[in-house]
Amino acid sequence: MNSLTAALLASAALFATPATAQNNASPVPGYAPPAPVVAEPALPQPPFPTTPPKLIVAISVDQFSADLFQQYRNHFTGGMARLLTGAVFPSGYQSHAATETCPGHSTILTGYRPAHTGIIANNWVDQSVGRQDKIVYCSEDERVAGQDHNNYTVSDMHLKVPTLGERMKTADPRVRTVSVAGKDRAAVMMGGHKMDEIWWWDGKTYVSYAGRAVPPVVARTRKAVADLVAAPQAPLPLPGYCKPLDRAITVGGQTLGTGRFQRAAGDLKGFRVSPAADAAVLAMAAGFVQDMKLGQGPQTDILSVGLSATDYIGHALGTQGAEMCIQMAELDRSLAGFFDVLDATGVDYEVMLTADHGAHDMTERQQLRAMPMESHVAPEAKTKAMSAAIAQALGLPDSPPLLLSAEGDVYINRALPPATRTRVLAEAKRRYEALPQVAAALTRDEIAATPWPTTPPETWTLKEKARSSYDPTRSGDLLILLKPRVTTIEEPAPGYVETHGSPWDYDRRVPILFWRKGMSGFEQPLSVETVDIAPTLAATIGLPIPGVDGRCLDLDPGPADTCKR
């Protein structure tokens, strides 16, 4: 048995209702490796199933870049290996400029780009908010008094468009929609506004909106995780193919690259930044399928699953050490166990797996591996320094500051007279464009005047990428885009040595995989977009969703067309 999840998954009670827990043995706990693949004679390809699936399972693996997928795809033997027998799109794109968690998740099950979802970034500035920092978090209700963007009440109010689950529920009120995730923003943006169940990890336990009753599966998951965290975690085994990556590197005053996720008893942060966090989310998702009997009614139900450990591991430990290699192996095993549980229900389910964004390994390790041009952003590019420099040049006071910012968006203080704001914007644009690490400083007028892109996403200009992230009610007066291989991290520190968010393809490219029992697999290496996912899934259940930004992808490699049913 895998030592990582032995305490968490050793009991079938985590996956079965209490009344039947003693009689139902879950295939997940042992994580038995799949049997070796035996070559069989080639058979005629069957068409994609013509009946709608009874359950849609949409999985997002946070920070699972196309580069990581390509690096490890030949080593997968479990759940990811199953998905590789379906429809494989290795060059999916989160096409917009703001490649962050919240906007990325907002595209997956809506079919809309962030310019239409309203989720332009993880955070933005709203100068009308009655609190000092003026920063609004994408999944908060900033109207709640006494809170800020770090201490907030979770809300779906900022998502401007419906999700696939909402559309399904509107078309048939019997539809059950469930969303579980390692982050609130993943659960909210994939689930939407009409959820039967929505749960996420808040750093201590699994929570939902205030006042929501705790179903048995959540209570069981909470207990299982609490028991797991209360005990120390022994080092995880290192797969043989991970050994070349098992090399120490010193970054931010810490030694990384050789970790095995060993953890002291009671270390909640260590649990979150480990493969066990994904295993727990998948366990709870499987429990919801069993307890609610998802997919066993006359309608099609939908389950959204947000797996966040890859992102936490990437930020804290990087993408090219032993830690990420172990995470990829454990993710593969956890997905295998999850699919085994779904198989045992006998439900005809359809799976989609993708990511909210990609990522770029830590600067220090990149510099050692043939990329000496990699760099951290210079202090003079930071908003506080720029605001002070502009104030001095224009003879203006900088208290309150002339510039405010969140992510790459820079906002001119609205308290300034219009003529002064115009001068400050022009000076800010000039100064940012003069910085050697800046690729572009785009004003809101420049972005708004850019036509919607119509070419494949890998050909888009910076303005076109920015246009797809632009919302006139939330975006800044100036958008700062750094050059390739410049990280926004000024100085690495524990928990934060690499990041994402750039308009470059290493952050934009993600895999998109579809699988359903009985389908014929194929691979399409040309680019598609994550906004294509919702119309593609909708077509398989015969639900029209006109007007979205994405297009339906035909999942039948033969003459039949899943988009024309």
Side-chain angles (χ1 to χ4, degrees):
M1 180 179 293
N2 179 0
S3 61
L4 167 65
T5 52
L8 177 62
L9 301 175
S11 171
L14 188 57
F15 297 95
T17 57
T20 60
Q22 295 181 352
N23 299 320
N24 288 323
S26 166
V28 175
Y31 283 108
V37 177
V38 179
E40 297 179 356
L43 297 174
Q45 287 187 337
F48 193 90
T50 57
T51 57
K54 300 301 292 182
L55 175 64
I56 292 174
V57 180
I59 303 172
S60 171
V61 179
D62 199 323
Q63 205 184 121
F64 187 40
S65 66
D67 294 329
L68 270 183
F69 172 70
Q70 180 63 32
Q71 183 176 358
Y72 289 102
R73 62 180 295 174
N74 291 337
H75 297 294
F76 293 136
T77 59
M80 288 298 302
R82 179 189 296 209
L83 298 180
L84 282 167
T85 67
V88 178
F89 297 89
S91 285
Y93 274 79
Q94 291 281 8
S95 302
H96 48 274
T99 49
E100 297 174 343
T101 301
C102 212
H105 279 103
S106 80
T107 71
I108 293 171
L109 288 181
T110 65
Y112 290 103
R113 299 182 183 119
H116 289 138
T117 69
I119 310 301
I120 63 164
N122 285 346
N123 302 281
W124 55 83
V125 171
D126 183 345
Q127 298 186 56
S128 69
V129 173
R131 60 194 192 199
Q132 186 173 2
D133 66 5
K134 306 298 182 183
I135 296 177
V136 172
Y137 172 58
C138 61
S139 293
E140 75 158 310
D141 184 350
E142 64 273 18
R143 299 169 299 183
V144 179
Q147 300 188 2
D148 59 36
H149 71 287
N150 289 316
N151 176 32
Y152 53 85
T153 296
V154 176
S155 171
D156 57 28
M157 63 181 284
H158 292 303
L159 181 62
K160 293 183 176 182
V161 296
T163 61
L164 177 59
E166 289 180 66
R167 292 177 184 268
M168 292 167 62
K169 206 170 187 68
T170 299
D172 185 346
R174 299 173 299 179
V175 168
R176 275 88 57 79
T177 61
V178 176
S179 184
V180 296
K183 296 180 181 178
D184 55 49
R185 53 189 179 268
V188 169
M189 295 302 153
M190 292 181 71
H193 309 91
K194 297 181 180 180
M195 300 301 303
D196 290 284
E197 294 290 351
I198 178 169
W199 296 85
W200 62 86
W201 178 259
D202 72 346
K204 297 180 180 179
T205 189
Y206 291 97
V207 299
S208 188
Y209 297 123
R212 183 179 289 272
V214 179
V217 63
V218 174
R220 298 195 303 272
T221 306
R222 283 176 169 177
K223 183 181 184 307
V225 171
D227 291 345
L228 177 66
V229 173
Q233 171 63 59
L236 300 183
L238 183 72
Y241 58 82
C242 295
K243 290 182 179 179
L245 300 176
D246 187 27
R247 296 182 179 181
I249 183 171
T250 300
V251 182
Q254 56 191 328
T255 300
L256 307 176
T258 61
R260 302 288 189 276
F261 299 104
Q262 186 174 5
R263 166 178 57 75
D267 184 356
L268 285 166
K269 183 178 180 181
F271 166 78
R272 184 179 69 175
V273 187
S274 80
D278 284 346
V281 170
L282 287 167
M284 184 163 59
F288 272 120
V289 171
Q290 291 188 327
D291 283 14
M292 295 178 67
K293 299 187 184 301
L294 296 180
Q296 297 184 41
Q299 74 289 338
T300 299
D301 297 322
I302 183 168
L303 169 66
S304 305
V305 182
L307 303 178
S308 305
T310 301
D311 185 70
Y312 285 127
I313 292 167
H315 283 303
L317 306 169
T319 65
Q320 293 301 309
E323 301 94 344
M324 186 60 78
C325 192
I326 292 172
Q327 163 62 6
M328 291 293 100
E330 295 299 331
L331 174 66
D332 185 39
R333 290 165 67 87
S334 295
L335 286 170
F338 175 62
F339 295 151
D340 284 345
V341 173
L342 298 188
D343 291 342
T345 67
V347 169
D348 177 12
Y349 64 95
E350 180 176 41
V351 180
M352 184 286 306
L353 183 145
T354 189
D356 53 343
H357 52 72
H360 195 48
D361 194 28
M362 64 180 75
T363 299
E364 288 73 13
R365 190 154 49 204
Q366 294 281 26
Q367 290 172 339
L368 295 176
R369 298 184 178 180
M371 294 294 154
M373 72 291 291
E374 299 272 333
S375 63
H376 293 278
V377 66
E380 55 265 30
K382 294 297 185 179
T383 308
K384 184 177 181 179
M386 183 62 71
S387 183
I390 292 172
Q392 182 177 16
L394 298 182
L396 298 170
D398 194 39
S399 180
L402 301 180
L403 306 181
L404 302 88
S405 69
E407 319 302 349
D409 283 287
V410 175
Y411 302 74
I412 310 300
N413 194 321
R414 295 292 173 89
L416 297 172
T420 303
R421 294 185 71 248
T422 299
R423 291 175 61 208
V424 170
L425 177 61
E427 183 67 8
K429 179 177 173 64
R430 184 188 71 79
R431 285 177 175 267
Y432 273 115
E433 288 180 335
L435 295 178
Q437 292 180 321
V438 171
L442 304 174
T443 67
R444 61 168 37 237
D445 290 342
E446 289 178 295
I447 298 171
T450 301
W452 287 105
T454 58
T455 59
E458 67 270 24
T459 68
W460 290 8
T461 65
L462 287 178
K463 285 184 179 180
E464 288 175 323
K465 296 172 188 177
R467 181 68 183 90
S468 292
S469 292
Y470 173 75
D471 181 317
T473 66
R474 295 175 182 170
S475 294
D477 297 297
L478 196 63
L479 177 65
I480 308 304
L481 301 175
L482 299 178
K483 290 181 178 178
R485 298 170 178 160
V486 179
T487 178
T488 54
I489 298 176
E490 188 174 348
E491 292 184 6
Y496 193 49
V497 299
E498 65 96 297
T499 192
H500 47 83
S502 82
W504 309 112
D505 281 1
Y506 48 76
D507 284 346
R508 296 172 75 220
R509 289 181 62 245
V510 297
I512 303 176
L513 313 174
F514 298 89
W515 181 91
R516 186 177 173 191
K517 185 177 180 180
M519 72 178 291
S520 295
F522 68 93
E523 181 156 341
Q524 173 50 266
L526 297 180
S527 61
V528 295
E529 297 184 63
T530 55
V531 293
D532 299 335
I533 293 169
T536 300
L537 294 173
T540 66
I541 59 173
L543 178 66
I545 54 170
V548 296
D549 294 326
R551 66 181 180 90
C552 178
L553 304 174
D554 178 13
L555 299 182
D556 191 318
D561 190 339
T562 59
C563 298
K564 296 180 179 179
R565 294 182 176 173

